[in-house]
Amino acid sequence: MVNKSWKIIPRPLLETILNNHAQHHRVPQPLILHGPRGVGKTTLFLERLLDDWNKGPHITGYVDFAQSIKDNHPQHNNSYPWASWSTCDPPTLHNCKNQLETCLESMTQKGIQLGAITSSQIFYTLNKWHSLDTVLRRIILQNNSNIALKSRNSISKVSSSVLWDRAVFALSARSNAKEIDEILGLEEKGKSLSVEEASYFREAAVALRLAKEVITMQQGWRARAIAHLNQTGGFSRSLANSCTDWPCLLLELLSKAAEIDYFQPKLVINNIEVLKKAILVDDSMVSGPMYHDSLIWRIVALGANERCLPIMLATSDSYYSYQAYWDFGFPDIFISRENFGWAPQEAKMHMVTDYFSQSEWAVIVEVLGPNPRHLFELYALKQSSYYQKVLEDKASTFEDIVDAYLAYLQVTVVNPAMDRALELLQKFANDAKSGKIPKDRLRFGSPWKHSSKLDDPTQCQQWAKLQLLDFVQSLINTEFGVNYLGDCSFEIFDDPCTVALLEVGLLYAQRDPSLIRPISIAIQRCLVRWLVQERMKMSLQNLLQFMWQRIVRGRSYRHLMLQVGYK
């Protein structure tokens, strides 16, 4: 048996594409790296790219919004889920916001240390988007409560720039000078800096704190409006933007300060889809989806209008492969890079003889496919004591190990995800009954049209199971390859089963070619097993209902089985 440590295998073409994007100091568009789970997107950034992107003039911030999900993150000694993040306990929006802001603040402080970001730059950038006079006066008066009446009157007559200088001076007086020096590293530079240079750096650091205090105070004025928005479930772009003012101000400062071969900041945001699922713990912020949309809109606007530092978004949610491009404007609003992992021949070149024998590989590529995470998990199982016990049984073969791994995926991944999909279908039925679903989705002839007539929760549950069985059977009939752009109607996205299985992460809608398929061959096999198991458990009455559904109202997507290049 081969006993060799697993190694990270380079992806030269994809690494070159990402490196070329990252080498620019400013770019007009953010880049989205998307693909099914388990193909190595996170590993690519953490193991292959980030170290080089933090050398010399380059500084790269890395934010993983899933980091606070303790039950499903490697930082907490757990593994990423195979299914979607929507099947896990969502993080709080407050934690996600703090992660992003902390990362951007540390990058901005680095820019201040290099002298690339100054107090005047912070003022002009802030003043471009915010009315500062009132809030600066309040900050000055708060820091000088004993100020004379005459001075109070004089403050009301000066310009914004003068108010800014006075506010910086007032905030400096109550700031901890030693703490600021430690942040800026002035103690190390102290011997080589003059008094004027040191005060220049301190002023910029205090100005950054002042800008945060200004935005925090202005957001506090909108607290009641935000609370009312959350209670009524409405939408307000101005209130959503007020919650993203601080990170977007930092992004604009970093973008303007970027300079080739001196200060080249970059930002990588992993698991961006988690931000949409984040929950509120109070009414101090807008909802997660609204915060997510506001942040991306403003990143897009910054890149289009003034050019932005390179921002790369990594995700396994197929919403970002195609639909997001239309939701945010047009098909080329982001730079799209899709990663499907290895082709079978490429994987064979790296795996055979080093990790698996030729005969073992023949079984793997047929049953599991070349998904890198499947290969890693199977190799870890092969190195375990369980494999040694299986080998002791002369009647056992490598196929038994593969079958045990498939059973593990079935029990821990696919079955819970299908239960979650059933819940989503029941929610769809309840929404249809209450009139929340547009009539276009309930048009005549659709298999799910009569969901609004279900009054009994048990009947609703049976209806959801019937719909899911029918949908999986229709996918099997199309050999798990539906071209959703096949007739340019997007009709398959009207199907609540499609939406449910995409949301739980068992299906992936890829961009090019435009196919909806399971995230791996192993998951595809588990979906077939799920259908067989559910049919075996059916009573005679339920079996007759299923057959009637297939014959009378059954789905058929065979007309979407258009091959690539077919016209």
Side-chain angles (χ1 to χ4, degrees):
M1 182 183 70
V2 177
N3 188 6
K4 185 177 181 180
S5 60
W6 190 267
K7 65 179 180 180
I8 305 301
I9 298 171
R11 302 291 305 276
L13 179 59
L14 187 56
E15 289 177 24
T16 300
I17 291 171
L18 295 176
N19 275 320
N20 287 342
H21 183 74
Q23 291 306 311
H24 294 87
H25 65 302
R26 282 191 290 270
V27 295
Q29 296 167 282
L31 181 147
I32 297 183
L33 176 64
H34 52 95
R37 291 195 173 278
V39 298
K41 299 181 295 296
T42 300
T43 302
L44 179 68
F45 280 114
L46 294 180
E47 304 293 340
R48 297 288 304 169
L49 299 175
L50 285 185
D51 286 345
D52 291 335
W53 290 356
N54 280 290
K55 293 179 180 177
H58 301 278
I59 174 172
T60 304
Y62 178 78
V63 179
D64 186 354
F65 284 131
Q67 186 175 323
S68 55
I69 304 179
K70 295 183 179 179
D71 294 336
N72 299 95
H73 199 276
Q75 190 165 352
H76 306 285
N77 297 321
N78 291 300
S79 60
Y80 287 120
W82 266 109
S84 161
W85 288 109
S86 63
T87 61
C88 308
D89 294 332
T92 63
L93 183 57
H94 182 74
N95 284 344
C96 294
K97 178 175 177 285
N98 282 348
Q99 276 183 264
L100 178 62
E101 291 179 356
T102 301
C103 175
L104 291 174
E105 285 172 12
S106 65
M107 293 170 65
T108 308
Q109 289 167 359
K110 179 66 174 177
I112 292 174
Q113 289 179 24
L114 294 173
I117 298 175
T118 65
S119 174
S120 60
Q121 288 176 342
I122 295 172
F123 166 71
Y124 288 121
T125 305
L126 187 63
N127 192 47
K128 184 170 67 172
W129 302 108
H130 300 267
S131 179
L132 300 180
D133 291 1
T134 302
V135 67
L136 288 176
R137 290 190 191 100
R138 291 201 178 189
I139 291 173
I140 293 170
L141 294 175
Q142 283 178 2
N143 289 289
N144 297 274
S145 55
N146 297 324
I147 192 169
L149 180 61
K150 186 176 180 180
S151 298
R152 288 174 182 261
N153 293 334
S154 65
I155 287 176
S156 62
K157 299 176 183 179
V158 298
S159 64
S160 299
S161 59
V162 175
L163 285 174
W164 176 263
D165 292 336
R166 292 189 183 183
V168 169
F169 180 78
L171 191 60
S172 300
R174 66 180 178 92
S175 297
N176 188 328
K178 186 176 181 181
E179 180 184 348
I180 294 174
D181 289 352
E182 289 177 356
I183 292 173
L184 298 176
L186 293 182
E187 293 181 352
E188 301 173 3
K189 303 178 184 177
K191 295 179 181 179
S192 59
L193 290 179
S194 65
V195 176
E196 291 79 5
E197 290 173 327
S199 62
Y200 179 82
F201 288 115
R202 292 191 187 102
E203 181 185 0
V206 174
L208 186 66
R209 289 189 175 187
L210 176 60
K212 186 173 185 178
E213 192 167 327
V214 166
I215 290 176
T216 302
M217 184 175 290
Q218 289 184 337
Q219 188 177 354
W221 296 344
R222 301 183 180 95
R224 289 187 179 181
I226 292 174
H228 181 264
L229 185 72
N230 291 332
Q231 291 167 6
T232 58
F235 172 78
S236 171
R237 175 169 292 185
S238 61
L239 292 179
N241 287 349
S242 72
C243 294
T244 56
D245 277 340
W246 180 235
C248 290
L249 175 70
L250 296 175
L251 284 173
E252 188 166 351
L253 286 171
L254 289 167
S255 300
K256 289 183 176 180
E259 184 179 342
I260 294 177
D261 292 334
Y262 184 68
F263 179 59
Q264 293 186 239
K266 284 164 276 293
L267 179 63
V268 176
I269 300 180
N270 195 12
N271 297 309
I272 182 66
E273 70 272 22
V274 174
L275 196 58
K276 290 198 299 181
K277 306 295 181 183
I279 58 175
L280 294 174
V281 293
D282 53 38
D283 286 329
S284 62
M285 294 179 62
V286 296
S287 64
M290 205 179 298
Y291 184 94
H292 164 274
D293 291 351
S294 174
L295 180 66
I296 293 183
W297 267 119
R298 298 182 74 176
I299 289 173
V300 169
L302 179 61
N305 295 330
E306 302 182 25
R307 300 216 167 197
C308 180
L309 61 90
I311 296 178
M312 283 153 276
L313 311 176
T315 176
S316 299
D317 189 340
S318 58
Y319 166 79
Y320 299 88
S321 68
Y322 190 83
Q323 186 60 40
Y325 292 74
W326 287 104
D327 288 351
F328 285 96
F330 57 94
D332 297 319
I333 197 166
F334 305 108
I335 299 173
S336 171
R337 290 294 176 264
E338 201 161 29
N339 179 22
F340 296 118
W342 292 321
Q345 291 301 319
E346 184 183 8
K348 179 181 178 181
M349 180 175 63
H350 296 303
M351 294 290 111
V352 173
T353 68
D354 282 347
Y355 301 103
F356 303 103
S357 66
Q358 183 65 47
S359 59
E360 291 172 345
W361 178 252
V363 175
I364 292 170
V365 76
E366 180 182 355
V367 178
L368 302 181
N371 184 289
R373 183 173 171 186
H374 283 320
L375 299 178
F376 170 74
E377 291 180 345
L378 185 64
Y379 183 68
L381 183 61
K382 185 180 175 182
Q383 301 298 315
S384 67
S385 57
Y386 174 79
Y387 184 69
Q388 297 297 329
K389 293 178 182 178
V390 171
L391 288 180
E392 292 173 1
D393 184 358
K394 295 183 180 180
S396 298
T397 61
F398 180 74
E399 285 85 345
D400 296 319
I401 295 294
V402 176
D403 194 54
Y405 178 65
L406 271 179
Y408 160 79
L409 291 176
Q410 186 77 48
V411 173
T412 63
V413 178
V414 175
N415 288 350
M418 296 301 276
D419 291 340
R420 172 62 180 156
L422 288 173
E423 294 175 4
L424 294 174
L425 287 174
Q426 293 175 58
K427 182 179 182 299
F428 174 87
N430 293 329
D431 289 344
K433 181 180 177 182
S434 60
K436 296 180 181 178
I437 303 298
K439 291 183 179 180
D440 288 345
R441 291 190 66 186
L442 300 172
R443 59 184 176 273
F444 178 79
S446 59
W448 55 90
K449 175 178 174 59
H450 301 285
S451 58
S452 58
K453 298 180 180 180
L454 303 173
D455 295 326
D456 183 23
T458 303
Q459 287 183 346
C460 184
Q461 186 176 12
Q462 291 176 351
W463 173 87
K465 178 67 72 67
L466 200 64
Q467 296 297 316
L468 205 53
L469 289 167
D470 181 32
F471 179 76
V472 174
Q473 182 65 63
S474 70
L475 283 185
I476 294 173
N477 294 344
T478 62
E479 301 176 6
F480 288 98
V482 176
N483 187 338
Y484 60 86
L485 288 180
D487 60 355
C488 300
S489 69
F490 294 97
E491 64 169 283
I492 194 169
F493 290 111
D494 288 339
D495 192 331
C497 293
T498 305
V499 177
L501 289 183
L502 285 173
E503 184 167 338
V504 299
L506 296 183
L507 296 184
Y508 184 82
Q510 63 191 52
R511 182 180 176 93
D512 186 21
S514 54
L515 300 177
I516 293 179
R517 61 180 180 83
I519 59 176
S520 70
I521 295 176
I523 298 299
Q524 176 178 311
R525 285 184 174 271
C526 290
L527 283 172
V528 176
R529 284 187 175 190
W530 178 86
L531 177 65
V532 173
Q533 290 171 355
E534 292 299 325
R535 290 193 60 174
M536 290 176 64
K537 292 189 294 185
M538 280 182 174
S539 64
L540 179 60
Q541 180 182 0
N542 290 340
L543 182 60
L544 291 174
Q545 287 179 341
F546 174 69
M547 297 303 296
W548 185 88
Q549 169 78 20
R550 288 297 303 157
I551 294 170
V552 179
R553 292 180 182 167
R555 295 164 171 82
S556 178
Y557 293 119
R558 290 184 63 84
H559 63 291
L560 297 178
M561 293 176 63
L562 296 180
Q563 297 297 319
V564 179
Y566 178 85
K567 295 183 180 179

